[in-house]
Amino acid sequence: MDFAFTAQDDAFRTEAREWLASHADGSQDRRSWERTLGKAGWIGLGWPEPGYGNRTATLTQQVAWAEEYARSPAPPRSGHIGENLLAPTLLAHGTDDQKSRFLPPIAAGEELWCQGYSEPGAGSDLAGVRTTAVREPQGSYYRVTGQKIWTSLAHEADWCFVLARTEPGSRRHHGLSFLLLPMDQPGCVEVRPIRQMTGTSDFNEVFFDGARARVEHVVGGEGDGWRVAMSLLGFERGVSTLAQQIGFAQELGRVVRTAVETGAVRDPVVRDRLVRQWAELRTMRWNSLRTLGSSQEPGAPSVAKLLWSGWHQRLGELAMQVRGAQAAVGPSDWTPSTPYELDPFQHLFLFSRADTIYGGSDQIQRTIIAERVLGLPREPKG
């Protein structure tokens, strides 16, 4: 596409920057912040339909908002799964009743969502889903039983969209349905946080033991879950990637400043790595702009994932290198209540180890490019 910011885009950017400057101070809890965003209409900018309490914006204006948000002290979003994944799926496949029930609370920041896809035996190979949903004899509800894993923000979510097997004996992508399920079901839904190397728990295990989902909350109809689930994965576009790169640039800037302060920049190998990181980040930005909004390049999301995940891991390693021996020392002494704390560079290094795994591992992305773009023989399935 011919990408350029217009005068209207610049005015929109200014409005976004000024609003964020007057409302975002970094101290808000994430749930109340979602409500603040919703009250001002900033949730749902990318939805093709207005009327749910959301503003609408052009693709370039969405980029402007995302970039200004990344530059602001606003907290990380809790509502992006509902806003950017579920909402477009409902707009494409949902009934009018489903849209009128679920889109306004998402736009208002009142209901948060998580994604029930991956399972212990069905991560990269999503068609191996074993979670079942059995319709009750009276016919108004499904009973969902099974386990999901690596469920981001499940500990905060009010609802979960779940890919489950509704046809007994079905295999692979047949017999699956896409259900909307409330998380507040004591005794039927259990969320167990997964402690990471960083000491935080952003991901969770979720266990369903007869949890109830209404029949009218099946999106796309019973048995059509695979089509709906794949459609959802296709809604992720380059807007979020461009905003992510603003954060990457800020991290790189801190690494460069530290290299100057510690004297590591005098090492020609370190200097070469710093320049390479800068050049690769600029390349990622122009590639994202080039493919923004394009539906003609089926491998573009996989290429983007490969680029940024490896880049971010290398930045974490470089952050440790420029710190020298101090990189192995925590910012505070060990205590029984806080076994260890991490400074920002240590957190970057440890968390980025997962970048090449979550959201589709590097191996999976290369397989997608090989099969769907290059036309190479499909990988044998066991």
Side-chain angles (χ1 to χ4, degrees):
M1 66 179 292
D2 182 14
F3 186 93
F5 289 107
T6 66
Q8 290 79 9
D9 297 334
D10 292 337
F12 185 89
R13 182 186 292 276
T14 299
E15 180 187 2
R17 183 187 302 130
E18 292 175 349
W19 187 89
L20 287 164
S22 63
H23 289 81
D25 59 16
S27 64
Q28 306 97 327
D29 70 88
R30 287 162 61 152
R31 183 174 283 270
S32 65
W33 174 243
E34 290 295 321
R35 297 191 183 103
T36 300
L37 288 170
K39 187 175 181 180
W42 292 112
I43 299 176
L45 295 180
W47 300 356
E49 298 178 15
Y52 301 103
N54 61 307
R55 311 184 189 202
T56 56
T58 65
L59 195 56
T60 48
Q61 288 170 348
Q62 293 169 49
V63 171
W65 164 256
E67 290 183 336
E68 292 306 317
Y69 192 96
R71 293 188 178 102
S72 77
R77 292 289 309 279
S78 290
H80 63 280
I81 295 175
E83 177 187 8
N84 299 321
L85 295 180
L86 178 64
T89 303
L90 289 177
L91 289 166
H93 303 286
T95 65
D96 289 341
D97 286 344
Q98 289 169 349
K99 289 188 283 187
S100 63
R101 164 59 185 87
F102 292 109
L103 293 181
I106 293 174
E110 295 289 345
E111 291 182 347
L112 304 181
W113 287 79
C114 60
Q115 175 175 289
Y117 274 17
S118 296
E119 300 181 3
S124 298
D125 183 15
L126 189 59
V129 162
R130 290 185 293 179
T131 294
T132 61
V134 179
R135 195 161 180 170
E136 292 181 344
Q138 59 270 36
S140 298
Y141 289 89
Y142 289 95
R143 288 284 186 174
V144 181
T145 302
Q147 178 187 359
K148 298 294 181 178
I149 198 166
W150 308 120
T151 310
S152 300
L153 304 180
H155 57 296
E156 299 181 13
D158 305 295
W159 287 79
C160 181
F161 50 89
V162 179
L163 189 63
R165 200 163 292 282
T166 50
E167 181 183 328
S170 60
R171 298 190 59 192
R172 304 299 297 165
H173 57 274
H174 302 288
L176 297 171
S177 296
F178 188 100
L179 301 93
L180 310 181
L181 182 151
M183 294 290 284
D184 186 14
Q185 300 189 52
C188 297
V189 178
E190 180 184 359
V191 177
R192 298 180 189 174
I194 299 173
R195 185 177 174 87
Q196 301 150 220
M197 289 191 296
T198 56
T200 57
S201 299
D202 301 297
F203 311 113
N204 306 267
E205 293 180 283
V206 181
F207 295 86
F208 300 114
D209 186 9
R212 303 178 88 193
R214 289 183 177 274
V215 170
E216 62 264 33
H217 292 167
V218 175
V219 180
E222 184 177 295
D224 205 20
W226 184 257
R227 182 178 67 91
V228 177
M230 293 302 99
S231 174
L232 179 144
L233 294 177
F235 285 122
E236 191 170 4
R237 295 187 295 178
V239 171
S240 60
T241 302
L242 285 163
Q244 178 189 53
Q245 290 166 12
I246 299 296
F248 286 172
Q250 293 170 340
E251 290 177 335
L252 176 58
R254 289 192 288 269
V255 172
V256 171
R257 289 192 294 273
T258 301
V260 173
E261 293 166 1
T262 62
V265 74
R266 292 193 293 270
D267 184 332
V269 174
V270 171
R271 195 160 58 246
D272 178 75
R273 291 189 65 185
L274 289 169
V275 172
R276 186 177 296 273
Q277 290 287 142
W278 178 87
E280 290 176 350
L281 183 58
R282 297 298 297 176
T283 301
M284 282 193 287
R285 175 173 176 78
W286 290 116
N287 182 64
S288 297
L289 291 172
R290 180 183 66 85
T291 59
L292 188 63
S294 172
S295 59
Q296 305 303 314
E297 299 188 40
S302 293
V303 171
K305 176 62 166 58
L306 282 172
L307 288 174
W308 74 253
S309 61
W311 184 94
H312 203 220
Q313 275 193 357
R314 293 191 296 275
L315 182 67
E317 294 163 359
L318 185 56
M320 294 293 97
Q321 185 176 0
V322 301
R323 285 279 304 282
Q326 286 296 316
V329 181
S332 61
D333 294 334
W334 184 94
T335 66
S337 59
T338 55
Y340 64 87
E341 291 186 19
L342 303 173
D343 64 32
F345 281 4
Q346 291 166 334
H347 187 277
L348 165 63
F349 171 70
L350 291 176
F351 191 87
S352 65
R353 308 319 297 167
D355 285 345
T356 53
I357 301 173
Y358 70 79
S361 69
D362 278 11
Q363 293 83 357
I364 293 298
Q365 303 305 333
R366 291 189 176 98
T367 298
I368 291 172
I369 294 169
E371 295 179 354
R372 303 182 189 177
V373 180
L374 301 179
L376 297 178
R378 296 184 67 84
E379 181 179 294
K381 296 292 191 295

